[in-house]
Amino acid sequence: MTSKIWGGRFSAGPSAIMEEINVSVGFDQRLAKQDLHGSRAHCSMLVAQGIISPEDGDAIQEGLLRIEKEISGGNFLFKRSLEDVHMNIESRLTDLIGAPAGRLHTARSRNDQVATDFRMWVRAAFSTIDEEIMKLQSVLIDKAEQHAGAIMPGFTHLQAAQPVTFGHHLLAYVEMFGRDRSRMIDARKRLNECPLGAGALAGTSFPIDRALSAQKLDFDRPMANSMDAVSDRDFALDFLSAAAILAMHMSRLAEEMVNWSSAQFGFIRFSDAFSTGSSMMPQKRNPDAAELVRGKTGRIFGGLMSLLTVMKGLPLTYSKDMQEDKETVFAAFDTMELCLAATTGMIVDMQPNAERMRESAAAGFTTATDLADWLTQALNIPFRESHHITGKVVKLAEGKNCLLSDLSLTEMQSAEPRITQDVFKVLTPEASAASRNSFGGTAPDNVRAQVKAARERFLNKGRFS
């Protein structure tokens, strides 16, 4: 079949260039499942409303089922000459059942058909990504529980700041990914309105039942405005926006793993499953998976900016520009699935070096804040004065090239005579971390409680809420 649906007004076929720029079946065939589902629902509604006969409806449903089996079995031939997935399915339906196939498109335009199919695809994509994020949260929570008491340096400005626990650090990402899931779930709720029945832009004169179509396709309701229904793609932008923030969070975690696995940090080690070697330097163990997760973030950001740019100048309603909506979303979904799987695998695979992390946590005067807090709590010195005294003590330790805990009591008292031997109880990294027991703090007991709470919030209840 080579005829075009535009009709007899176009006596000559489009040029090869026009066909090349116009064809979309190479990528929109991913909507085949949704297109069939939407067509079955539309057909059922047409029969229920007496718009087509039950006999034609049965023939259409039987033909659609045969096409579904052909596609799932890999036996369906998608033809570029038929432009898109929708016309490929309609053409095949005509081949199979003849004239009744022509009744399926009654009271429907490709505009509302495409919008409905794409919403259903994105709806499923949100659910898939949510499940994958939950798997990543699960392995992070498990790893945090295993290392709830492992001491490491916490950083600000990438400078050692205060001792924290490795478990607490990992749980920070559990919270970030929880918010990513909530964005996905919120966006999924927003998109769950059905465009089907909006027609090309103005609705239809046929006595359709849009609520019935929406119900059959698991939408909450029909979209209220036919022009909006066919012309907006904010649901796709919601997906790309949520994906971009998720990608950013994964990139931050990937950056940490790149740093931690370096010889200079030495905090973690990956097995050969997530490391590669160098073609020239035999000693190298490169964290390529983490670097690629970090690098692929640009694809997601680019997809969001691409679709924003496509949509920003379009008047109502449909313009062919909107054909550019799908490839960016499909690519973002594929990239997210891969990066989530890789990140989950890396978290399971990585082995922390607790001794090296503890050694690093002790360096850089990371317990200076604990000294200042002790001066205020034990000696009732105003914190700003305590801060100044602590600075003098740090300067002494810098001059001796030693830790704060290595200074003698006499040396401490040269900065503040009221300091007692008790100060040394707060100057170890372990004591520092254990003292941070305020809600959300890094104390090991807190981390264990947070692990339990995180499992309940993010995993045991199923969907994040």
Side-chain angles (χ1 to χ4, degrees):
M1 178 177 178
T2 58
S3 63
K4 300 297 179 180
I5 62 168
W6 303 328
R9 178 168 173 265
F10 295 86
S11 58
S15 69
I17 293 174
M18 178 60 198
E19 183 166 339
E20 185 65 28
I21 198 171
N22 193 52
V23 70
S24 61
V25 70
F27 56 84
D28 69 15
Q29 61 184 263
R30 291 180 72 156
L31 299 178
K33 177 181 177 181
Q34 288 73 26
D35 193 73
L36 290 164
H37 189 25
S39 289
R40 284 194 292 268
H42 185 63
C43 178
S44 295
M45 183 276 296
L46 292 176
V47 172
Q49 293 300 106
I51 298 172
I52 67 173
S53 70
E55 293 76 18
D56 285 343
D58 288 344
I60 290 169
Q61 295 287 11
E62 182 181 344
L64 292 173
L65 181 60
R66 287 183 62 183
I67 292 170
E68 182 177 34
K69 290 179 179 178
E70 289 177 356
I71 292 175
S72 62
N75 300 315
F76 188 93
L77 177 62
F78 287 100
K79 300 175 182 178
R80 283 175 56 87
S81 60
L82 293 174
E83 187 180 321
D84 61 25
V85 62
H86 320 288
M87 292 310 301
N88 268 269
I89 289 174
E90 184 173 329
S91 174
R92 179 57 178 155
L93 185 64
T94 301
D95 292 342
L96 291 172
I97 68 172
R103 300 192 182 278
L104 175 59
H105 210 56
T106 307
R108 184 177 73 172
S109 164
R110 270 200 299 179
N111 290 357
D112 61 331
Q113 181 181 3
V114 170
T116 302
D117 294 353
F118 196 24
R119 277 180 181 262
M120 288 193 289
W121 192 95
V122 172
R123 183 175 65 186
F126 273 129
S127 297
T128 298
I129 295 299
D130 176 68
E131 292 294 329
E132 294 305 312
I133 300 173
M134 187 165 66
K135 292 176 185 176
L136 175 54
Q137 286 180 299
S138 179
V139 299
L140 281 166
I141 291 169
D142 288 346
K143 192 75 74 169
E145 183 175 40
Q146 294 167 21
H147 303 283
I151 303 298
M152 67 176 291
F155 297 91
T156 62
H157 308 277
L158 205 56
Q159 306 295 312
Q162 291 178 301
V164 298
T165 60
F166 190 58
H168 191 59
H169 197 126
L170 296 180
L171 288 178
Y173 285 100
V174 173
E175 295 295 325
M176 293 183 209
F177 294 135
R179 291 191 295 276
D180 289 322
R181 290 180 65 195
S182 72
R183 271 183 285 273
M184 299 261 176
I185 293 166
D186 287 346
R188 190 188 186 283
K189 290 177 182 177
R190 262 194 306 280
L191 75 73
N192 208 37
E193 295 182 337
C194 186
L196 196 58
L201 75 161
T204 178
S205 59
F206 288 94
I208 62 173
D209 184 346
R210 292 191 62 206
L212 178 60
S213 299
Q215 180 185 8
K216 286 182 175 295
L217 295 173
D218 297 320
F219 285 102
D220 295 331
R221 63 191 69 85
M223 294 187 73
N225 184 285
S226 61
M227 298 178 76
D228 174 52
V230 301
S231 68
D232 206 356
R233 293 295 186 267
D234 55 0
F235 66 93
L237 289 166
D238 266 347
F239 179 83
L240 290 170
S241 177
I245 298 172
L246 168 60
M248 176 270 294
H249 283 151
M250 283 202 294
S251 182
R252 294 184 72 182
L253 178 54
E255 170 71 8
E256 304 248 47
M257 290 190 283
V258 170
N259 287 337
W260 291 345
S261 63
S262 68
Q264 289 70 28
F265 276 79
F267 290 179
I268 64 171
R269 180 181 175 86
F270 290 119
S271 74
D272 291 347
F274 286 95
S275 301
T276 63
S278 165
S279 63
M280 184 178 190
M281 298 166 284
Q283 84 282 7
K284 295 292 293 298
R285 293 181 63 86
N286 298 325
D288 282 7
E291 291 171 359
L292 286 166
V293 168
R294 185 178 61 186
K296 288 180 185 294
T297 303
R299 296 189 185 200
I300 313 298
F301 291 179
L304 174 59
M305 293 311 301
S306 175
L307 187 53
L308 282 169
T309 304
V310 166
M311 297 301 300
K312 73 173 183 64
L314 298 187
L316 296 180
T317 53
Y318 182 83
S319 296
K320 194 69 171 187
D321 313 48
M322 292 165 66
Q323 184 168 289
E324 294 296 303
D325 58 357
K326 298 170 193 67
E327 286 181 283
T328 55
V329 171
F330 294 158
F333 173 81
D334 292 343
T335 303
M336 279 294 92
E337 265 206 312
L338 179 58
C339 289
L340 282 163
T343 304
T344 300
M346 284 188 287
I347 295 299
V348 172
D349 185 73
M350 72 177 182
Q351 294 301 316
N353 184 336
E355 182 179 347
R356 175 71 184 112
M357 288 193 294
R358 197 275 177 200
E359 177 187 328
S360 183
F365 312 112
T366 57
T367 58
T369 305
D370 299 277
L371 173 57
D373 288 347
W374 183 86
L375 291 169
T376 295
Q377 292 173 340
L379 304 182
N380 199 29
I381 297 173
F383 183 78
R384 281 300 171 202
E385 185 179 344
S386 297
H387 188 282
H388 179 72
I389 294 168
T390 300
K392 292 166 66 175
V393 174
V394 168
K395 188 174 182 180
L396 283 171
E398 280 182 324
K400 292 192 65 178
N401 194 28
C402 68
L403 303 177
L404 295 179
S405 56
D406 292 334
L407 292 172
S408 68
L409 178 60
T410 301
E411 288 168 325
M412 289 270 194
Q413 290 174 335
S414 70
E416 170 50 58
R418 289 173 288 176
I419 292 177
T420 68
Q421 189 71 30
D422 286 345
V423 73
F424 292 100
K425 296 178 181 178
V426 304
L427 295 183
T428 65
E430 289 78 10
S432 174
S435 72
R436 309 293 170 185
N437 56 11
S438 58
F439 181 80
T442 193
D445 287 344
N446 272 22
V447 173
R448 295 182 184 98
Q450 290 161 6
V451 161
K452 183 178 179 181
R455 283 205 176 99
E456 180 64 22
R457 289 166 59 207
F458 299 124
L459 308 181
N460 294 345
K461 289 182 179 178
R463 290 209 176 281
F464 173 67
S465 59

